[in-house]
Amino acid sequence: MFEAIAFYLFAFLTIAMFFITVTTSQALYALTALAAGMIFISAFFFILGADFLGAIQIVVYSGAVMALYAFGMMFFDTTREVKEKNGNKYIVVGMSTLAAILVVAIFAAPMVSENITALYPVIEGAGNTQQVGMVLFTKYLVPFEVAAIMLLVAMISGIVLAGKKMDLSLTLYNTAEIDDMKKDQAKKVLS
Amino acid sequence: MEIGLNHYLVLSTILFAIGLVGVMRRKNLLLLFFATEILLNSVNIAFAAISHFYGDLTGQMFAFFVIAIAASEVAVGLGLLIVWHKRHGNIDLDSLSTMRG
């Protein structure tokens, strides 16, 4: 009973928030609605018993990704109204077709997977976090390490792309001009 | 009323459709990124629901990797977006069509 109430409440809230995100013309409203929707999604993870995933959802999305977007938006002109594409008829038709195929596939999937067996079944007598740790560090150790390297590469590329000489608009100059600028700065320091 | 797997899958489909609408109609690249976040999150709900109803932890594992990929995508994408904004002064999708050659 409470599960049903919670499910419908959070489903309504999540759909409303994401609808605001894709329809509003203000970038700040979109950012705020997206952050709220992410928090509401974590409620589904808690209902489904995936506690660790819910905590990760709040920490990573609302903490890291939204903060990154908020800092990134400082570089863009977000006060301006966002222009929209004119509705293309073919795109609407294609989108509706894709959504219909998805719905059919969803209702057909349980019939196909009647005799499915759990590959890594839930371990008895352990909390969700413990189970996740057991599976992640035995069966999925290599993908975990690859994901760690991927995050490192993404961090370095983010720093290199966004962080160098933020006052100078480095991308507009070529290498020789940058060298000249460095020499000029060195002269200023000496004189 | 019992909440089953189909409830979660239908919710996931609705959110995925909202994300698709966002990808189709947005012109601003930043808001296009928001729409891709919605797509990734809707799939995460489906993974967690299947993991719960089949008693299998693989779905949660895949959800973790999807979150990791989303985080790195945001880092690289925002870096590229800042570089693009410095060069061209806007982040509209139409200005990217110059790359067509």
Side-chain angles (χ1 to χ4, degrees):
Chain A
M1 182 62 194
F2 285 115
E3 193 196 354
I5 292 171
F7 175 80
Y8 284 117
L9 175 68
F10 283 112
F12 173 75
L13 283 172
T14 311
I15 290 168
M17 284 304 146
F18 283 165
F19 189 74
I20 291 171
T21 304
V22 297
T23 52
T24 184
S25 60
Q26 300 277 336
L28 269 175
Y29 291 169
L31 180 80
T32 317
L34 187 65
M38 298 295 181
I39 300 224
F40 292 142
I41 277 185
S42 75
F44 292 116
F45 295 151
F46 289 124
I47 293 171
L48 287 167
D51 300 342
F52 190 64
L53 192 56
I56 289 286
Q57 171 84 11
I58 292 178
V59 169
V60 170
Y61 272 111
S62 320
V65 171
M66 286 303 129
L68 202 58
Y69 274 132
F71 280 118
M73 277 169 76
M74 293 197 299
F75 296 98
F76 309 127
D77 186 14
T78 50
T79 53
R80 195 183 46 173
E81 290 255 321
V82 179
K83 284 180 290 180
E84 295 299 341
K85 265 185 243 180
N86 292 325
N88 189 335
K89 210 189 296 174
Y90 298 107
I91 285 175
V92 173
V93 170
M95 241 161 47
S96 322
T97 315
L98 196 61
I101 290 170
L102 263 176
V103 171
V104 170
I106 278 169
F107 283 108
M111 289 174 232
V112 177
S113 60
E114 285 269 301
N115 50 3
I116 201 166
T117 51
L119 197 58
Y120 302 119
V122 172
I123 301 141
E124 292 297 322
N128 177 258
T129 311
Q130 208 175 348
Q131 290 171 3
V132 166
M134 280 175 184
V135 177
L136 193 63
F137 288 105
T138 52
K139 312 286 183 190
Y140 286 94
L141 184 60
V142 174
F144 181 75
E145 298 293 341
V146 172
I149 291 170
M150 184 188 69
L151 281 170
L152 180 68
V153 170
M155 185 186 80
I156 291 170
S157 68
I159 291 168
V160 167
L161 283 171
K164 246 200 289 181
K165 293 234 185 171
M166 301 208 84
D167 53 332
L168 280 181
S169 182
L170 190 69
T171 49
L172 292 179
Y173 301 98
N174 58 28
T175 319
E177 284 172 330
I178 291 166
D179 287 341
D180 287 341
M181 272 190 277
K182 276 180 187 166
K183 278 175 194 165
D184 286 345
Q185 275 190 341
K187 274 180 197 167
K188 273 180 198 165
V189 170
L190 287 175
S191 60
Chain B
M1 192 181 156
E2 194 71 22
I3 298 293
L5 178 57
N6 272 339
H7 286 77
Y8 285 98
L9 290 181
V10 167
L11 173 73
S12 172
T13 314
I14 292 170
L15 293 180
F16 196 85
I18 290 175
L20 269 184
V21 170
V23 169
M24 295 295 177
R25 73 187 283 272
R26 284 300 190 192
K27 208 193 245 178
N28 189 308
L29 270 174
L30 191 69
L31 298 176
L32 204 69
F33 276 13
F34 289 175
T36 56
E37 297 291 329
I38 295 173
L39 293 180
L40 291 167
N41 267 286
S42 72
V43 174
N44 269 355
I45 291 179
F47 275 138
I50 291 167
S51 161
H52 176 72
F53 285 103
Y54 282 101
D56 192 344
L57 285 171
T58 314
Q60 290 185 32
M61 296 301 125
F62 270 87
F64 285 126
F65 292 127
V66 167
I67 288 177
I69 285 169
S72 47
E73 172 244 326
V74 168
V76 177
L78 264 180
L80 288 172
L81 219 56
I82 287 168
V83 170
W84 186 264
H85 189 263
K86 273 183 191 167
R87 280 196 180 187
H88 295 266
N90 64 4
I91 45 173
D92 281 351
L93 204 56
D94 291 346
S95 61
L96 276 166
S97 63
T98 51
M99 289 173 82
R100 219 177 277 153

